[in-house]
Amino acid sequence: MTKKSFLLVPLMALMVAFAACENEESPIGIGLQDPSTLYNGISDTLYGTAETIFEDSLNTTNYSAGLLGTYSDNLFGDAEASIFTQINCTSESGIDYVGSTVDSIVISLAISGLYPYESDTVDAKRWGRSHRKTTTIPLTFEIRQLAESFDDSATYYAFDELEVSNNVLYNGTVTVSSRDSVVYLRLNNNLNSQLSGKKYTNPEFLEAIKGIRIRMSGTEQCMLNVNFAGANTKMTVYRTYSEGSNNSQLEDAFVIGNGSIHFNHFTHNYLGDLAIFNTNPTASIDGSQYLYLDPMGGTQLKLNFNNAIQVFHEAHPYAIIHYAELVMPVAADKADSQKPYSLLALRNYGDTTSTYIADMNDGFTSAGFDGAYNSTLDHYRLRVTQHVQELLRQGRDEGTTVLINARRSSARRTVLNGYNATMTGQNPFRIVLVYSEPFTK
């Protein structure tokens, strides 16, 4: 550990006792420190170890945002995201299509972006000002009716699937732009006969129709960010109602996404160092040089500062942490330009449970220190002041999990520097802290 002394300002009479085990991070004391003194004290740096592991139990049930598509690169390999969703009537009374003929059915999906084609990419300047670059790409979609009903009480994970039928409702190509906010898919007539002239309550409708699976079936490399809560995420039925010689053209909305049970199914076929997860998802990859962060139930990181925490605690048992941040530099030789916007951190406990570190749950989160990517410095910074104080209070670290924020709804991935200083160009991940000691041993 390398130390450098700063001006030590007077501290209020505060004594922190490092007590024995508790299973929750404590926010006590966070409001007592004058923010102007955060960087006044003694600086130190803690170094740890890390590994990349596979995240095999990502809950994707009923989230308001998700992904749809396929993507492949030479580092992470292939990934695919498909959607399973019920179709619900807008009321429990269901539908009465007696006397009606269904003319057409359209599935629409509200979208907010295309990976790796970003809508905010700046193109060359025109007329003295920058403008957004618009990318268009043909995408091939397939929609199949399910052969298996949803379980209302189940939690669905990224690895889950429901049985699909041979009834293909859509298989075609549409051109999607990076500026588009909705994708429209007009179904073939295979569902029409199941609705025309029929009367269903909503439970009867669910039992008869069951739901759909939506996936991309072409070779295009693109991930759509789907807004399941968007008003345009729905199924619309256009029908003709006949009564005697009178015909009426009607349309009805049905609920998919939010308001219906839905989940994302994610698959990965990794390459290179990550290929071990294809056959052994419980394996780990040593993080001496590189740490791999992949979303969609892909990979996450396990950091451990136990040795550094114990050494620091032994030398400074009464230390008060003014400020601490976890610095995670990007591996410039590996990571691409589409980096995740931010990272999250969880504290691990010996009983295999975990919770978000306390610093992520309070109101004192400054911009740039909240796990966001800093493009100028090419690294991520997470404030871990309370987290480190808690680790020191207990005298040990049982591990910290780092993962991508919005990993269910963003395909952005990255590679970070590992823990070996030599292999990372003297720029490993680390905890930088400022502390003071009102008492010494």
Side-chain angles (χ1 to χ4, degrees):
M1 302 181 195
T2 303
K3 300 181 182 178
K4 181 180 178 182
S5 295
F6 286 83
L7 175 64
L8 188 62
V9 301
L11 297 172
M12 60 181 63
L14 175 66
M15 178 174 180
V16 178
F18 293 104
C21 306
E22 291 182 5
N23 276 345
E24 294 183 3
E25 300 249 43
S26 172
I28 294 175
I30 189 63
L32 301 180
Q33 180 66 51
D34 181 352
S36 66
T37 69
L38 285 177
Y39 299 102
N40 294 329
I42 306 167
S43 70
D44 208 338
T45 303
L46 308 182
Y47 298 96
T49 59
E51 59 187 2
T52 300
I53 64 172
F54 185 72
E55 183 179 16
D56 62 351
S57 56
L58 180 66
N59 177 3
T60 63
T61 310
N62 295 341
Y63 278 82
S64 60
L67 292 167
L68 175 63
T70 59
Y71 189 71
S72 178
D73 65 33
N74 294 329
L75 180 62
F76 285 91
D78 304 324
E80 180 178 358
S82 54
I83 295 169
F84 288 79
T85 180
Q86 283 181 328
I87 305 172
N88 272 274
C89 305
T90 55
S91 71
E92 284 299 296
S93 60
I95 60 170
D96 184 355
Y97 280 7
V98 175
S100 290
T101 300
V102 174
D103 302 310
S104 63
I105 301 175
V106 175
I107 296 286
S108 57
L109 300 172
I111 61 172
S112 58
L114 285 74
Y115 176 88
Y117 310 101
E118 296 299 316
S119 61
D120 59 353
T121 299
V122 176
D123 202 351
K125 288 188 175 182
R126 290 182 182 175
W127 303 293
R129 60 184 181 181
S130 298
H131 70 287
R132 286 182 175 179
K133 178 181 178 180
T134 301
T135 300
T136 57
I137 182 171
L139 299 176
T140 302
F141 296 86
E142 178 196 78
I143 301 178
R144 285 181 181 261
Q145 189 172 359
L146 298 183
E148 179 184 358
S149 296
F150 283 79
D151 182 344
D152 291 351
S153 62
T155 297
Y156 293 99
Y157 294 87
F159 52 75
D160 283 321
E161 295 184 87
L162 296 178
E163 183 181 353
V164 297
S165 72
N166 293 324
N167 191 15
V168 178
L169 304 179
Y170 183 90
N171 191 356
T173 301
V174 297
T175 299
V176 180
S177 163
S178 56
R179 288 176 177 264
D180 287 343
S181 59
V182 187
V183 173
Y184 296 97
L185 306 173
R186 180 171 177 170
L187 306 188
N188 57 33
N189 296 327
N190 290 350
L191 191 59
N192 296 19
S193 60
Q194 299 181 55
L195 302 182
S196 294
K198 304 294 174 57
K199 182 177 181 178
Y200 295 112
T201 63
N202 191 56
E204 292 170 339
F205 183 87
L206 288 172
E207 178 60 29
I209 306 303
K210 294 183 173 57
I212 56 175
R213 182 194 69 183
I214 309 173
R215 63 184 293 263
M216 285 190 193
S217 57
T219 59
E220 304 89 352
Q221 299 297 304
C222 180
M223 285 283 183
L224 293 177
N225 300 107
V226 180
N227 180 4
F228 292 126
N232 286 316
T233 298
K234 60 184 178 180
M235 183 177 85
T236 305
V237 172
Y238 299 89
R239 60 187 173 98
T240 300
Y241 174 68
S242 300
E243 187 175 16
S245 60
N246 297 320
N247 293 328
S248 301
Q249 304 300 315
L250 303 173
E251 66 178 78
D252 303 300
F254 290 76
V255 181
I256 62 175
N258 278 23
S260 289
I261 301 174
H262 62 276
F263 68 91
N264 254 139
H265 172 68
F266 299 137
T267 61
H268 300 268
N269 183 27
Y270 287 113
L271 296 176
D273 292 342
L274 297 167
I276 190 173
F277 295 136
N278 296 335
T279 55
N280 185 7
T282 63
S284 62
I285 301 173
D286 176 67
S288 54
Q289 185 171 11
Y290 297 118
L291 295 167
Y292 301 93
L293 273 173
D294 191 33
M296 302 165 49
T299 61
Q300 57 187 16
L301 310 179
K302 293 291 187 183
L303 313 184
N304 193 289
F305 291 90
N306 190 52
N307 184 63
I309 288 292
Q310 291 185 354
V311 170
F312 186 93
H313 184 209
E314 175 65 24
H316 313 286
Y318 305 113
I320 297 174
I321 305 300
H322 294 227
Y323 185 81
E325 67 180 45
L326 173 62
V327 180
M328 304 197 70
V330 171
D333 59 329
K334 288 280 189 178
D336 65 19
S337 60
Q338 305 287 345
K339 299 174 182 64
Y341 295 111
S342 63
L343 305 181
L344 298 174
L346 292 85
R347 178 182 175 183
N348 302 329
Y349 298 96
D351 59 0
T352 73
T353 61
S354 61
T355 59
Y356 287 113
I357 63 172
D359 301 83
M360 305 199 74
N361 295 321
D362 64 47
F364 186 64
T365 302
S366 303
F369 298 85
D370 51 4
Y373 173 64
N374 185 310
S375 59
T376 302
L377 299 175
D378 201 24
H379 67 205
Y380 292 87
R381 303 167 72 182
L382 293 93
R383 188 169 62 87
V384 292
T385 308
Q386 295 178 67
H387 180 56
V388 171
Q389 190 78 76
E390 280 292 306
L391 297 182
L392 291 172
R393 185 173 67 85
Q394 295 190 1
R396 68 183 185 276
D397 176 18
E398 293 173 312
T400 301
T401 298
V402 174
L403 40 78
I404 296 173
N405 194 7
R407 64 197 187 283
R408 298 172 180 85
S409 57
S410 173
R412 290 171 172 251
R413 68 283 305 271
T414 195
V415 184
L416 305 177
N417 281 350
Y419 61 83
N420 185 290
T422 301
M423 298 176 74
T424 59
Q426 304 303 314
N427 192 25
F429 74 86
R430 55 203 179 269
I431 291 177
V432 179
L433 56 86
V434 177
Y435 70 97
S436 61
E437 290 185 278
F439 306 97
T440 57
K441 291 199 301 181

